[in-house]
Amino acid sequence: DIQMTQSPSSVSASVGDRVTITCRASQGISSWLAWYQQKPGKAPKLLIYAASSLQSGVPSRFSGSGSGTDFTLTISSLQPEDFATYYCQQANSFLLGFGPGTKVDIK
Amino acid sequence: QLQLQESGPGLVKPSETLSLTCTVSGGSISSSSYYWGWIRQPPGKGLEWIGSIYYSGSTYYNPSLKSRVTISVDTSKNQFSLKLSSVTAADTAVYYCARRVVIVGAFDIWGQGTMVTVSS
């Protein structure tokens, strides 16, 4: 199985800050990596697919990069609505997996 | 636009079988472009992929749950279903159904989720 890790597990930030979240796969997954945002009581929302492609309707302040085993999600200027938990997900094989999540909260 | 809606009992007794259905509306479940999946989230915890199914009936399960999980599809009803046997309190979670795009591997549309509690 491919294991996913994320760091940090939580981050406190202010509106306007640049926030970077890292996701690492236990083996190479090419660009088969997605990022999701989840707010309390809501279903996850797809932000990024194929490591760096922005899902339709997602603000351009979100960006993704990486390939192989190391990936990053960057929020260029944090907005009030961005306080949430972020998950990465690998799709390199038919057996999928999510990272443990990174909570972004208000500093 | 396409929507997914989970349905099923909110309370299941220990050792029994959890059964949920996801109804797809606004589009066809028989599209070759998508898989259909189940994901769960225990209270206060992260997301866990349970399994996926293709409209043809091909299934893929999380190895940690494989012995207890069955996912099936009913194309005539535009639905797919989850059965999880021998449940314990550890299976208490919000269960989501979602659509996964074949060519990118990501879940682009999700249901709202349904809370299932395992308790006597």
Side-chain angles (χ1 to χ4, degrees):
Chain A
D1 297 5
I2 299 174
Q3 304 301 316
M4 307 300 293
T5 58
Q6 286 182 234
S7 61
S9 57
S10 66
V11 57
S12 295
S14 301
V15 172
D17 285 353
R18 181 182 183 90
V19 174
T20 298
I21 299 168
T22 297
C23 176
R24 177 165 290 174
S26 60
Q27 63 188 73
I29 58 171
S30 186
S31 295
W32 292 97
L33 194 283
W35 290 97
Y36 300 85
Q37 175 193 69
Q38 187 181 34
K39 296 180 179 180
K42 299 295 187 181
K45 173 187 175 183
L46 177 63
L47 300 176
I48 301 284
Y49 62 90
S52 61
S53 295
L54 196 66
Q55 174 70 350
S56 176
V58 174
S60 58
R61 63 181 179 272
F62 291 94
S63 64
S65 65
S67 67
T69 59
D70 294 321
F71 302 86
T72 59
L73 173 70
T74 299
I75 309 172
S76 61
S77 179
L78 199 65
Q79 297 302 300
E81 60 268 31
D82 301 337
F83 292 98
T85 301
Y86 294 84
Y87 295 93
C88 61
Q89 175 237 321
Q90 66 83 11
N92 185 62
S93 71
F94 289 114
L95 303 183
L96 310 178
F98 290 90
T102 295
K103 185 176 182 180
V104 178
D105 60 21
I106 302 172
K107 193 172 188 179
Chain B
Q1 72 278 19
L2 188 130
Q3 293 184 316
L4 287 75
Q5 179 67 58
E6 305 90 350
S7 59
L11 181 64
V12 181
K13 290 182 168 55
S15 80
E16 295 189 344
T17 296
L18 178 159
S19 296
L20 296 175
T21 296
C22 183
T23 300
V24 179
S25 59
S28 174
I29 202 170
S30 299
S31 170
S32 60
S33 299
Y34 307 107
Y35 289 95
W36 306 90
W38 289 97
I39 301 100
R40 70 180 184 178
Q41 185 171 38
K45 297 188 177 180
L47 301 168
E48 180 180 32
W49 172 70
I50 300 171
S52 299
I53 191 165
Y54 198 51
Y55 76 97
S56 63
S58 298
T59 52
Y60 310 93
Y61 299 136
N62 187 323
S64 68
L65 298 169
K66 186 175 183 178
S67 63
R68 299 194 292 129
V69 172
T70 303
I71 297 176
S72 58
V73 63
D74 187 336
T75 55
S76 67
K77 295 182 179 179
N78 232 30
Q79 296 176 333
F80 62 105
S81 298
L82 168 69
K83 292 188 185 298
L84 181 65
S85 64
S86 305
V87 297
T88 69
D91 295 308
T92 294
V94 175
Y95 285 75
Y96 295 101
C97 61
R99 185 181 81 170
R100 185 165 82 91
V101 183
V102 170
I103 60 171
V104 300
F107 293 99
D108 66 335
I109 299 177
W110 294 64
Q112 65 184 22
T114 187
M115 180 68 198
V116 179
T117 301
V118 178
S119 175
S120 56

